[in-house]
Amino acid sequence: MKERKVTQKSISQKLILKISQLHKRYNEGKSNEVHALQGIDLAVNQGDMMAIMGSSGCGKTTLLNMIGHLDRRSSGEIVINDVVTSTLSDAQMTAFRRDNIGFIFQLFNLFPFLTAVENVETPLLLSGVNSGLAREQAKMLLRELGMGDRLYHLPTDLSGGQQQRVAVARALINDPAIILGDEPTGDLDSKTSADVMNLFRRINRINRQTLILVTHNRWIAEQCDYIVHMTDGKISRIEQGPSNAVEGKQ
Ligand SMILES: Nc1ncnc2c1ncn2[C@@H]1O[C@H](COP(=O)(O)OP(=O)(O)OP(=O)(O)O)[C@@H](O)[C@H]1O
Ligand SMILES: [Mg+2]
C-alpha cells in the first residue's frame, strides 16, 4: 500500500461522500415493489470510519451497493470525491469504482481458480501496475494479515477466516479512497476479527482511507468514529462512537 502523509483530521475536512435524497425501489412499479431506501441523506468526510447498524432487511446492504454503484438507484444524488456519479458513463464508472472504492462482501466473492496472492493482485493488474510489483505488494499485504504461509492456496483450500483475510487484502491493495465492508468480520473468530479491525484502524489513521462497515456486532461498531442506525430504509439516528470520544483521532 502507498503511504500517505499523516495529516491532522481537524485541519482538512474534505467531504469524500455526499448522498442526497437517495431512494431505491426493487421491482419498481410491480405489485412486489420494495421501497428499500427511503430518502437517505448522508455526508462522510475523508478519513471517517463509520459503522452502519440496523435490523435485518432495513436496507444496509442496499445502501452499500448504491455507494459502491453495484446497482442502480431509483432517485437521488451521490457525490464521491467531488464527482457527481450520475454524470459518468458505464465505462467511466467501472474505472472510477476500481480506482476509488474497495469492497469486502458478505460472501467473499473470491475468484475460485486463482490463488490467494493472485486474487489480491488482480485489482492492481487491472489498474495497469506491472506484474512483478503487483505480486510483491500482494505478498506484503497478505503477510501483514498473517497469510504468509498461504499465498499459493486456492480459496477452496482455505478456511472461512482465511478467505476473509484474502478478501480484505484484495479490497485494500488498490489503496482506494473508500472501503466498503458488508459484515467484513462476520465469519471470523474473535481474535482474527480483532486483527482485521486493528488493520482497518491503522490504515484509517495512517492513510486516511474512509471506511464504511455494515455490522450487527456492537463491538465492531464501537471501534468506529460514529454509528449510523437505519430503520426501514431510513437513517433513524447517528451515534458518536466511543473510540472517537475517548481517544480523538489523528
Ligand atoms: N434484489 C432484490 N430484489 C427485491 N428486494 C430486495 C432485493 N434485495 C434486497 N431486497 C429487499 O430490500 C430490503 C433491504 O434489503 P437489504 O439486503 O439491504 O437489507 P440488510 O439491512 O442488508 O439486511 P441483512 O442485515 O439481513 O443483511 C429487504 O426488504 C429486502 O428483502
Ligand atoms: Mg445485508
Side-chain angles (χ1 to χ4, degrees), residues 171-182:
L172 299 181
I173 192 84
N174 235 5
D175 201 18
I178 303 179
I179 296 157
L180 304 174
D182 202 346

Side-chain angles (χ1 to χ4, degrees), residues 22-127:
L22 181 65
H23 288 261
K24 174 63 181 175
R25 293 180 176 84
Y26 292 106
N27 307 318
E28 203 154 358
K30 301 191 183 132
S31 58
N32 58 348
E33 178 176 297
V34 177
H35 195 173
L37 296 180
Q38 306 185 19
I40 299 282
D41 292 306
L42 185 64
V44 181
N45 284 319
Q46 182 181 19
D48 280 357
M49 193 160 162
M50 180 184 113
I52 303 176
M53 295 191 87
S55 53
S56 181
C58 72
K60 304 179 297 296
T61 296
T62 303
L63 177 57
L64 227 50
N65 288 345
M66 297 294 115
I67 297 171
H69 293 74
L70 296 175
D71 194 4
R72 290 187 190 282
R73 72 199 84 155
S74 300
S75 61
E77 188 178 77
I78 302 178
V79 183
I80 296 178
N81 233 346
D82 300 325
V83 174
V84 180
T85 58
S86 57
T87 62
L88 300 177
S89 67
D90 284 354
Q92 286 170 327
M93 191 62 231
T94 301
F96 181 81
R97 192 168 48 214
R98 194 181 60 217
D99 294 341
N100 288 277
I101 303 171
F103 296 96
I104 307 159
F105 295 99
Q106 222 160 357
L107 304 166
F108 320 130
N109 289 8
L110 294 176
F111 301 115
F113 303 113
L114 297 183
T115 63
V117 75
E118 287 167 344
N119 263 285
V120 175
E121 72 190 4
T122 300
L124 289 180
L125 297 174
L126 289 172
S127 303

Side-chain angles (χ1 to χ4, degrees), residues 166-231:
V166 176
V168 168
R170 193 181 53 183
L172 299 181
I173 192 84
N174 235 5
D175 201 18
I178 303 179
I179 296 157
L180 304 174
D182 202 346
E183 297 279 357
T185 61
D187 286 334
L188 302 179
D189 60 62
S190 54
K191 168 154 189 335
T192 315
S193 271
D195 289 347
V196 169
M197 283 312 290
N198 281 336
L199 178 75
F200 283 161
R201 272 163 45 158
R202 197 146 46 84
I203 57 161
N204 170 252
R205 287 177 189 191
I206 295 172
N207 292 354
R208 299 197 77 230
Q209 277 164 303
T210 306
L211 280 120
I212 301 180
L213 308 178
V214 166
T215 182
H216 285 106
N217 181 319
R218 183 76 202 172
W219 180 82
I220 299 286
E222 286 181 354
Q223 312 296 306
C224 296
D225 300 322
Y226 53 96
I227 306 169
V228 169
H229 293 272
M230 287 183 68
T231 312

